[in-house]
Amino acid sequence: MVRYVSQHQLTFWLVTNKSYTLQLQLYQQDDDLPLAEITLDSAQHQEIQLGEQAVVNLLSINFSSPLPLNTLLSYNFTFIDDDLEQSLTELMPELLYSGQQYPNFVIKSDVKQMLHGSCRKPHFDSGDGLVQVDRIIGDSINNAELRPAMLMMSGDQIYADDVAGPMLVAIHQVIDLLGLYSEEWQGTVVSSSDELFASPLCYYQRDRLLPHNKANKAVYDKIFTASKKPIFTSVNAKNHLVTLAEVFAMYLLTWSPVMWRLVDLKSHRVNSDFLATYDVEAQVIERFAEGLTVVSRSLAHIPTYMIFDDHDITDDWNLTRGWEEAAYGHPFSKRIIGNTLIGYWLCQGWGNAPDKFIEFNQKNQNYFGNGEYSEQEQLIDELLAWDQWHYSLATSPKIIVLDTRTQRWRSESNANKPSGLMDWEALSELQQELINQPEVILVSPAPIYGVKVIETIQRIFTFLGLPLMVDAENWMAHSGTANVMLNIFRHYKTPPHFIILSGDVHYSFFYEVTHRFRRNSSRIFQITSSGIKNQFPRGLLNCLERLNRYLYASYSPLNWFTKRRRMKVQVRKPDPDSRKTLVNQSGIGLITLTADEQVVKAELLTANNERVLFHPLNSEAHDD
């Protein structure tokens, strides 16, 4: 996988069955002679062994002379083991498009076009939007100008908390095949990975192992007559990943077809009570796996950046102060969260900003394999305290990617009140990054401007003390965060043009927002693309969209009395002749910056091979 790239640095992520000496060959366009040929040293090639036959290779190569921009750069790796040498293209010819000798990518400092999306659930019954990335790259395989600058995935790259039975079976077979390390923990009826895998509760019944939190308030008890609520609130938490080996195997099975070739989904010990569910899920999972060959090929041809949202760790991660106190106060739930965060660090976070992690990686690369409880807990504590998951890219426009999960503005008055997505210190740091920029692409996992009727429902449940029931996570749910963010938009030194890329909600839409202030009138383009392989319940979304249209239209008194600030929100519709504003299809977003008054063109490339254009403004608008 190609990760962070610039003129002075190339970053790759790959997994091998053992430790190798690696040599990089880099070519410019069709040149026969390499632009660079480098045998990687330990500073350029960090290895972290997670199993007897599983080594994560974190490759970060610096160049003193700048690499060419807007040019096809082809690459190959040679794997050296004593006297045996094998090349990447010999080992994995499926990474090549027709007629290619080597995979290639392009370094672009000017972002004129990029792909983005979020929420990729393998067992959701739809096509996979990442397959469309392969088609876009295939159309530009010999044309640097047509190649998008990057792929940005803005959350829920995996669903650690929502795992199909067949996927969990495949995960356990991968653990055995690669000899992924076992571990021990405290605080539950099973205390090791071996005991968990042998337990009759291993498949579809893990909710009976998960810790519960007596955190419900009197209102909840009176209305819903419940006494307990799980810390892990995903509806499908019955197969929640627990061990680091499970998390790592999930990443391999989500991004690559290699291990699927060795998996047999018919070989399992799922309880007969769940066989009907298993068989239905297996059909969807098999179709997902069939698409991974072209997905992995595309990821070898485009710089890819990521940021977590909740499902990469667990549903409702850090939603409220009460959630945090319950989850981190129990050793088993803390271990589960810690393991998924380790997986994020190794498989996602490092590749976004490798220089941030140099010392951290060196310090922690030998933590694995000895099964020591205290050492794994120490690593988890360090990751939970890490506050550098956010990052920015020195492109034009500058790209700033927000961490909306670990630096939250927690409520001091009410433990069950939703936390602000970013605290005052993090927002102040953001404002410093924005000052004097002409325009910025801001990546926020959750939309900053949401669908009003849905946000209203979330506020009602929050008032009743039930934010966990409706995923009450939006920028406006916490007045402190909302006010600071809106003040940032009004500041006269922050950019007049913002492009906000978001996901999370499992439907796609395009809002154009104009803030009208005395000192600055900012124009904001929010493009939400969600999900890559997930959708909102269709009937419910249609109902909510109709309610939103009637209750919050520009002529509606309700809309007048619920204005947040002086702003105009306009909708770019997927069909100018329809009243619908939301697209409920799996796919990947494609944005193109334009030189006209539109500023940005946005499309959704659906998993059904359709291109949905969000049409230029001539649409409904209302003062929000």
Side-chain angles (χ1 to χ4, degrees):
M1 186 183 298
V2 182
R3 298 301 313 275
Y4 172 85
V5 300
S6 71
Q7 283 191 278
H8 292 279
Q9 188 173 19
L10 300 180
T11 307
F12 302 88
W13 181 92
L14 60 134
V15 178
T16 55
N17 65 327
K18 61 184 294 185
S19 177
Y20 292 93
T21 298
L22 292 185
Q23 186 182 79
L24 168 68
Q25 298 91 39
L26 188 67
Y27 301 86
Q28 182 171 341
Q29 211 129 6
D30 299 322
D31 291 353
D32 293 328
L33 294 177
L35 183 66
E37 191 166 8
I38 305 168
T39 300
L40 306 186
D41 59 27
S42 59
Q44 300 164 316
H45 177 195
Q46 291 183 301
E47 298 176 295
I48 296 179
Q49 186 151 359
L50 293 182
E52 294 173 6
Q53 297 188 71
V55 178
V56 180
N57 298 263
L58 311 177
L59 313 181
S60 182
I61 306 103
N62 292 317
F63 296 84
S64 55
S65 299
L67 297 171
L69 292 172
N70 306 316
T71 300
L72 289 170
L73 295 173
S74 300
Y75 69 94
N76 199 9
F77 286 103
T78 301
F79 298 82
I80 304 170
D81 180 25
D82 295 329
D83 295 330
L84 180 63
E85 295 187 7
Q86 293 176 287
S87 73
L88 176 66
T89 51
E90 291 171 341
L91 294 167
M92 299 186 69
E94 66 269 24
L95 293 180
L96 302 177
Y97 290 83
S98 177
Q100 265 193 311
Q101 187 175 3
Y102 306 115
N104 62 35
F105 62 93
V106 181
I107 303 171
K108 295 192 174 187
S109 60
D110 291 335
V111 178
K112 296 179 180 178
Q113 189 177 68
M114 63 184 289
L115 296 148
H116 77 107
S118 71
C119 307
R120 186 167 175 252
K121 186 195 291 189
H123 62 282
F124 185 82
D125 193 6
S126 76
D128 185 355
L130 280 192
V131 171
Q132 301 303 314
V133 178
D134 182 74
R135 293 186 175 141
I136 291 290
I137 293 174
D139 292 339
S140 64
I141 199 60
N142 297 311
N143 190 322
E145 185 178 353
L146 294 179
R147 186 77 57 91
M150 68 186 69
L151 166 64
M152 177 65 68
M153 293 193 278
S154 57
D156 300 342
Q157 282 67 252
I158 68 166
Y159 278 69
D161 58 313
D162 186 351
V163 183
M167 177 64 85
L168 194 56
V169 166
I171 284 170
H172 292 156
Q173 291 182 24
V174 168
I175 290 172
D176 291 339
L177 287 164
L178 299 181
L180 300 184
Y181 296 138
S182 58
E183 62 184 274
E184 297 180 353
W185 57 80
Q186 299 175 359
T188 187
V189 292
V190 294
S191 58
S192 71
S193 49
D194 292 339
E195 290 181 15
L196 172 65
F197 301 160
S199 169
L201 303 177
C202 185
Y203 298 103
Y204 294 104
Q205 299 181 81
R206 290 188 173 196
D207 54 321
R208 295 167 63 181
L209 296 171
L210 300 177
H212 286 65
N213 167 29
K214 296 180 180 178
N216 298 296
K217 299 298 183 182
V219 172
Y220 184 87
D221 293 330
K222 290 176 182 176
I223 296 177
F224 295 97
T225 63
S227 61
K228 291 184 178 180
K229 183 171 178 61
I231 292 169
F232 299 99
T233 53
S234 172
V235 175
N236 298 313
K238 295 180 179 182
N239 285 327
H240 200 304
L241 301 181
V242 171
T243 72
L244 177 58
E246 289 181 329
V247 174
F248 180 62
M250 178 73 157
Y251 276 105
L252 297 182
L253 293 166
T254 300
W255 285 340
S256 171
V258 173
M259 296 309 301
W260 283 106
R261 297 164 189 158
L262 306 175
V263 164
D264 180 8
L265 293 182
K266 292 183 171 59
S267 176
H268 62 78
R269 53 183 185 82
V270 172
N271 188 292
S272 59
D273 293 342
F274 306 103
L275 284 180
T277 299
Y278 182 93
D279 290 341
V280 172
E281 291 178 338
Q283 296 177 40
V284 181
I285 289 293
E286 286 170 352
R287 290 195 295 271
F288 169 77
E290 289 170 359
L292 288 176
T293 297
V294 298
V295 168
S296 66
R297 178 170 66 178
S298 66
L299 295 177
H301 285 78
I302 187 168
T304 300
Y305 300 88
M306 312 174 194
I307 190 64
F308 47 45
D309 204 8
D310 55 343
H311 295 290
D312 295 286
I313 311 299
T314 190
D315 193 24
D316 295 330
W317 181 34
N318 295 341
L319 176 64
T320 67
R321 176 168 60 85
W323 188 100
E324 293 187 52
E325 290 169 353
Y328 300 127
H330 192 290
F332 186 46
S333 53
K334 181 182 175 183
R335 172 61 67 92
I336 293 171
I337 295 164
N339 281 337
T340 50
L341 196 53
I342 293 172
Y344 176 81
W345 157 51
L346 291 175
C347 301
Q348 296 194 58
W350 164 84
N352 297 319
D355 289 347
K356 283 188 175 185
F357 291 90
I358 292 173
E359 293 184 9
F360 188 90
N361 289 358
Q362 291 172 345
K363 178 182 177 183
N364 295 297
Q365 64 184 358
N366 296 317
Y367 262 138
F368 308 100
N370 55 22
E372 287 292 330
Y373 173 83
S374 60
E375 290 194 2
Q376 192 153 342
E377 288 299 297
Q378 182 178 342
L379 174 58
I380 288 170
D381 286 338
E382 289 189 36
L383 284 170
L384 290 174
W386 184 260
D387 61 358
Q388 294 297 312
W389 298 114
H390 60 290
Y391 59 97
S392 61
L393 303 175
T395 52
S396 179
K398 183 177 185 177
I399 296 176
I400 299 175
V401 183
L402 305 180
D403 167 9
T404 61
R405 284 286 162 186
T406 72
Q407 301 182 66
R408 294 210 151 185
W409 195 326
R410 296 166 182 86
S411 172
E412 296 181 4
S413 61
N414 186 342
N416 284 333
K417 185 177 180 181
S419 299
L421 300 194
M422 292 173 67
D423 62 19
W424 185 86
E425 291 82 359
L427 288 167
S428 297
E429 183 181 342
L430 168 63
Q431 184 166 17
Q432 292 303 309
E433 281 219 65
L434 293 171
I435 286 177
N436 296 326
Q437 294 290 327
E439 57 183 347
V440 160
I441 296 176
L442 195 66
V443 180
S444 167
I448 292 177
Y449 304 94
V451 177
K452 261 194 167 182
V453 71
I454 294 176
E455 291 185 349
T456 300
I457 292 169
Q458 290 172 332
R459 281 197 294 271
I460 291 170
F461 274 81
T462 298
F463 176 77
L464 295 174
L466 303 171
L468 293 168
M469 296 292 292
V470 290
D471 259 355
E473 295 188 276
N474 62 74
W475 280 91
M476 302 305 159
H478 186 281
S479 59
T481 297
N483 287 330
V484 173
M485 179 58 85
L486 293 175
N487 282 333
I488 287 174
F489 288 143
R490 73 180 292 183
H491 195 281
Y492 72 99
K493 287 188 177 181
T494 52
H497 286 167
F498 283 89
I499 297 172
I500 300 171
L501 303 182
S502 62
D504 179 57
V505 292
H506 305 164
Y507 49 86
S508 301
F509 60 98
F510 189 147
Y511 282 174
E512 184 171 329
V513 183
T514 305
H515 286 257
R516 294 168 298 198
F517 303 104
R518 185 176 302 170
R519 301 186 70 180
N520 184 39
S521 180
S522 58
R523 196 175 175 201
I524 299 169
F525 306 88
Q526 179 183 272
I527 304 155
T528 301
S529 180
S530 177
I532 295 174
K533 195 178 190 293
N534 210 346
Q535 297 171 24
F536 204 90
R538 190 168 301 278
L540 178 58
L541 186 64
N542 290 338
C543 177
L544 291 173
E545 185 174 13
R546 284 195 297 271
L547 278 174
N548 190 72
R549 188 162 58 240
Y550 296 139
L551 295 178
Y552 295 102
S554 56
Y555 53 79
S556 166
L558 186 59
N559 181 64
W560 180 263
F561 286 115
T562 58
K563 287 182 181 180
R564 300 189 192 104
R565 295 281 183 123
R566 290 178 58 200
M567 67 178 79
K568 176 179 283 187
V569 179
Q570 295 176 289
V571 184
R572 292 198 190 180
K573 293 182 179 180
D575 181 352
D577 298 323
S578 170
R579 302 187 72 183
K580 292 185 68 65
T581 61
L582 309 178
V583 178
N584 194 17
Q585 294 192 57
S586 297
I588 193 79
L590 176 67
I591 69 165
T592 305
L593 274 61
T594 64
D596 57 22
E597 62 180 12
Q598 286 188 56
V599 179
V600 59
K601 170 186 173 183
E603 300 172 271
L604 181 70
L605 313 180
T606 76
N608 297 327
N609 299 320
E610 299 173 348
R611 292 182 80 124
V612 178
L613 172 67
F614 291 93
H615 289 268
L617 286 179
N618 185 15
S619 308
E620 296 173 353
H622 60 272
D623 289 337
D624 193 4

